[in-house]
Amino acid sequence: MEQGKIKDLLITATKIRKHSIEAVYSASSGHPGGSLSIADVLSVLYFDLMKVDANNPKWEDRDRLVLSKGHCSPALYGALAEKGFFSKDLIKTFRHIDSILQGHPDMKCVPGVDMSTGSLGQGISAACGMAVNAKIFDKNYRVYAIVGDGELEEGQVWEAAMFAAHYKLDNLTAFIDFNGLQIDGHVSEVMSPMPIDEKFAAFGWNVIKINGHDIEEIKNAAVKAAQVKGKPTAIIATTIKGKGVSFMENQASWHGSAPNKEQYEQAIKELDAYLESLGVK
Amino acid sequence: MADNIATREAYGKALAEFGDKYEIVVLDADLSKSTKTDTFKKKFPERFLNAGIAESNMMSIAAGIASCGKVVFASTFAMFAAGRAFEQVRNSIGYPNLNVKIGATHAGITVGEDGATHQCLEDIGIMRTIPNMVVINPADAVEARAAVEAAIKHNGPVYLRFGRLGVPVIFDESQYNFELGRGVMLADGNDAAVIATGLMVHEALKAKEELKNEGIDLRVINIHTIKPIDKEIIIKAAKETGAIVTAEEHNILGGLGSAVAEVVAESYPVPVKRVGVEDKFGRSGKPAALLEMYGLTAKNIVEKVREAIKLKVK
Ligand SMILES: Cc1ncc(C[n+]2csc(CCOP(=O)(O)OP(=O)(O)O)c2C)c(N)n1
């Protein structure tokens, strides 16, 4: 991948992180930790790989993305706003009573949201439905699902995994956001879904393991996934919960809490400093 | 009775029939022989998917397909559709208002010998509290077929409740006009009204005949769409008869009886008596014996009509 492009995607990912912090701060509630961990994946998907049209969000042949870990809506909203699906000004209305930006994504009112999610385990099934629809009706869009590692504890995820393999949904790619943390602590301590890779492989999936903050690895894995025939692909992306904001990194306590003013300013300062290092003033 | 057809039979036949006319997709959870979706599967294998024994997953998958613009039927027993998959139905289908039609068979106590774990007496109550969800409970095979087409044409989620047991055919297919949300007056009468749904409609008609001998002129109304309910026909019955009895193969809590009582209490209060399963779990047995044991017969309707008439404000 070209260096300039990598840099652009890193910049976008950082903007998504800033939007996430902004959203959660404005609402005084929301989920920063898991939003920051998937920003790079969203950047690569929306700004390099996915066929979508911000002017025609319901375009039938678009690629689709289901944020199965729907609590990380701040990052999704950030990506969609950057992509031009709606005004960036809306970010600070996140979770407000008169805003379209609900706490969890609502496909009925937010342009670009392909599925309403928030109840863990259901989004990946819905993604399977979209993918199988393409198979039945001979469409060639791709479907991406973003699934939490804690979310893997929901039995429905494995029902979906079985379904996807059975129906050979090679147009489906699931990114597992392997940040190792859920609400009550370490995923491996709360209720371990390990080994994740062997489980998906045993369920008949193609499995790729990457560093979920490495733009090039994300892109290459997604491209490889699209070339695999007859199997869905699980990309297990090792990430850092709270990535990019020093005091949030690897802290389960930042799963679902909002920064105060001081913390907010500190977070934005750190993200701005990173942007500056990438040449953005 | 040669005429007895289970509404699930009519459902399967209707899917196969309408599969030609509409580009529907049908899902099942390893019960296609029982839910009768196998008739569709045989004719349109490319548009049939088995989700396996994974009802919750099936509902969310149906949502995914519907989100791409298709009308999807997701079928399993009512217990699993409304019970196990409730939250998926609410969050993946009801909330995003998707075009998923839930074909729930084996509803009610007449599943029979499989017993309490398979008899769903709660589904109407559960489903009607989900915003956007339309709830239909057909009385016979003719109505079931018509309900399937109405569900296809309706834009949004629909819960269709079907039974396992063969039930008498009441309607004449050549003349029957199904209107979603519209009650059907089957017999006029001014002393009391019985508002029935599903297989209890037939019992209500029998009750009318029995009460004739006592000089009681009973109105019989069939409510196939429990949500949105036909308020007009209910209020009119309250006004013109002054006493209402509901009849359903469901817990008396939360179902048709509750829905009718809500309308009556808010708009034109008159006595309402309910025939249904009296907040109990069922047990194994032959369907007819169970209907008798749990008080779901014409005789029970007759008794409740007498009680309701006694309560009338003179
Ligand atoms: C079915 C369901 N159960 C519980 C919750 C509450 N909940 C929200 S986020 C979360 C933890 C998710 O952890 P993980 O999937 O690892 O997400 P991430 O760490 O990436 O934020 C839980 C339990 C929910 N949203 N849905």
Side-chain angles (χ1 to χ4, degrees), chain A residues 31 33-35 37 69 71-72 104 118-121 147-152 154 177 179 181-183 187 241 255, chain B residues 87:
Chain A
H31 298 82
S35 296
S37 67
K69 42 171 246 172
H71 56 282
C72 297
H104 295 80
S119 179
L120 295 168
V147 185
D149 50 357
E151 186 178 3
L152 299 178
E154 279 289 352
D177 185 15
N179 59 33
L181 292 173
Q182 55 191 104
I183 296 179
V187 169
K241 200 156 171 168
H255 170 84
Chain B
E87 202 252 345

Side-chain angles (χ1 to χ4, degrees), chain A residues 20-34:
Chain A
S20 302
I21 296 295
E22 188 81 52
V24 175
Y25 176 65
S26 306
S28 305
S29 74
H31 298 82

